[in-house]
Amino acid sequence: MAALYDRIGTGYSSGRRTDPRWMAPILAALGDARTVANVGAGAGSYEPDDRLVIAIEPSGEMVRQRPPGPVVRAVAEALPLRDGAVDAVLGVLTAHHWTDWRAGLAELRRVAPRQVLLAYETAHHADFWFVREYVPEIGDLERGRPSATDIARELGTDEVIPLPLPWDFTDGVFPAYWRRPDAYLDPGVRRATSALSLADPDAVERGVRRLRDDLDTGRWRERHRDLLELDEWDAGFRLVVARG
């Protein structure tokens, strides 16, 4: 995974900007934790700035884009922290990338009594219109990943908070442009999403060509007229909170 993000992570800090509408529930879930380990920390999105944060990140490219602060190059499955080292662990859209997600969750439980993970229901992503209509190959990848429900079950919690996507969301997560389809024509937008970076480039290019044609002819807007009337949409993102 470090090698992957060394390759595809360029520009994440600009394309994946923190949105306050997700930051607020994440801060609420962290509660009064004064020390936080951010596992799979990336460029630092959604890290609190009012407490000590130790970033755990294997990719040098992602570390390069981070603000100043403590960083440890490591993976979730082998955290270089003692038992109970921090008050809480945070993981933002990372567990689906781990080689062994169950081992990673066990490590999170070991080092902190509170675990806060932003994850997603993989079935929702597999049924996203961009996947269903343009690059169905992404669906095969999504269906093989742990969903938010899987993660909550493994952690033994039923505290799962839906995080809908506003139409003007500023964090370029894969489905962020559900009402702004023209954005997917931008190579920079596509590079900032791992789902598209990991997919077969030929399949993505074919899908983008079909999308461009559907936008030019008005077919996309006719087919998705209902989405254009929504201010927010449930793409399956969930905040999983476990308190020991």
Side-chain angles (χ1 to χ4, degrees), residues 21-97:
R21 290 163 290 190
W22 275 12
M23 189 69 187
I26 288 172
L27 290 176
L30 289 172
D32 60 359
R34 301 309 305 165
T35 54
V36 178
N38 186 10
V39 178
S45 295
Y46 303 104
E47 289 180 357
D49 60 7
D50 60 348
R51 62 199 84 187
L52 174 65
V53 175
I54 302 168
I56 311 292
E57 171 56 50
S59 166
E61 173 58 34
M62 301 304 288
V63 169
R64 186 186 64 78
Q65 299 176 60
R66 291 185 50 79
V71 182
V72 179
R73 297 281 299 277
V75 297
E77 297 90 335
L79 295 176
L81 300 173
R82 60 176 174 75
D83 295 0
V86 291
D87 298 326
V89 285
L90 173 65
V92 177
L93 298 177
T94 179
H96 58 282
H97 288 310

Side-chain angles (χ1 to χ4, degrees), residues 11-17 170-173 177 188 192:
Y12 252 57
S13 59
S14 59
R16 302 296 293 273
R17 300 184 303 277
T170 59
D171 184 349
V173 294
Y177 306 100

Side-chain angles (χ1 to χ4, degrees), residues 29 115-119 147-149 151-153 155 157 159-161 238-242:
Q115 302 90 40
V116 178
L117 284 101
L118 175 50
S147 69
T149 298
I151 291 168
R153 185 179 299 118
L155 289 175
T157 181
E159 189 171 358
V160 179
I161 304 165
R238 304 289 185 262
L239 192 62
V240 179
V241 184

Side-chain angles (χ1 to χ4, degrees), residues 2 10 13 28 103 199 205 243:
T10 304
S13 59
E205 185 58 36
R243 298 178 175 89

Side-chain angles (χ1 to χ4, degrees), residues 31-243:
D32 60 359
R34 301 309 305 165
T35 54
V36 178
N38 186 10
V39 178
S45 295
Y46 303 104
E47 289 180 357
D49 60 7
D50 60 348
R51 62 199 84 187
L52 174 65
V53 175
I54 302 168
I56 311 292
E57 171 56 50
S59 166
E61 173 58 34
M62 301 304 288
V63 169
R64 186 186 64 78
Q65 299 176 60
R66 291 185 50 79
V71 182
V72 179
R73 297 281 299 277
V75 297
E77 297 90 335
L79 295 176
L81 300 173
R82 60 176 174 75
D83 295 0
V86 291
D87 298 326
V89 285
L90 173 65
V92 177
L93 298 177
T94 179
H96 58 282
H97 288 310
W98 299 346
T99 302
D100 185 338
W101 63 273
R102 289 186 173 87
L105 294 181
E107 280 287 86
L108 267 56
R109 289 196 300 267
R110 180 181 66 79
V111 302
R114 177 176 302 187
Q115 302 90 40
V116 178
L117 284 101
L118 175 50
Y120 61 90
E121 298 295 359
T122 52
H124 282 60
H125 278 215
D127 194 44
F128 177 39
W129 61 257
F130 187 91
V131 177
R132 188 177 64 248
E133 298 169 17
Y134 299 103
V135 191
E137 292 85 351
I138 294 175
D140 296 333
L141 174 65
E142 295 292 2
R143 282 183 282 268
R145 289 172 158 178
S147 69
T149 298
D150 296 327
I151 291 168
R153 185 179 299 118
E154 187 72 13
L155 289 175
T157 181
D158 57 4
E159 189 171 358
V160 179
I161 304 165
L163 297 181
L165 279 177
W167 76 270
D168 57 349
F169 201 58
T170 59
D171 184 349
V173 294
F174 176 39
Y177 306 100
W178 57 271
R179 213 184 87 174
R180 296 171 286 168
D182 304 73
Y184 293 109
L185 305 182
D186 183 344
V189 166
R190 299 197 299 271
R191 280 196 301 271
T193 63
S194 62
L196 291 170
S197 296
L198 290 170
D200 177 5
D202 292 336
V204 173
E205 185 58 36
R206 285 194 302 270
V208 169
R209 286 198 302 268
R210 288 196 297 269
L211 175 59
R212 181 179 290 110
D213 184 58
D214 284 353
L215 290 172
D216 289 343
T217 61
R219 281 192 296 265
W220 186 91
R221 284 170 174 79
E222 179 63 27
R223 193 158 55 233
H224 297 288
R225 185 180 302 174
D226 57 328
L227 291 180
L228 299 176
E229 299 175 354
L230 301 177
D231 291 329
E232 63 180 26
W233 177 67
D234 182 6
F237 291 102
R238 304 289 185 262
L239 192 62
V240 179
V241 184
R243 298 178 175 89

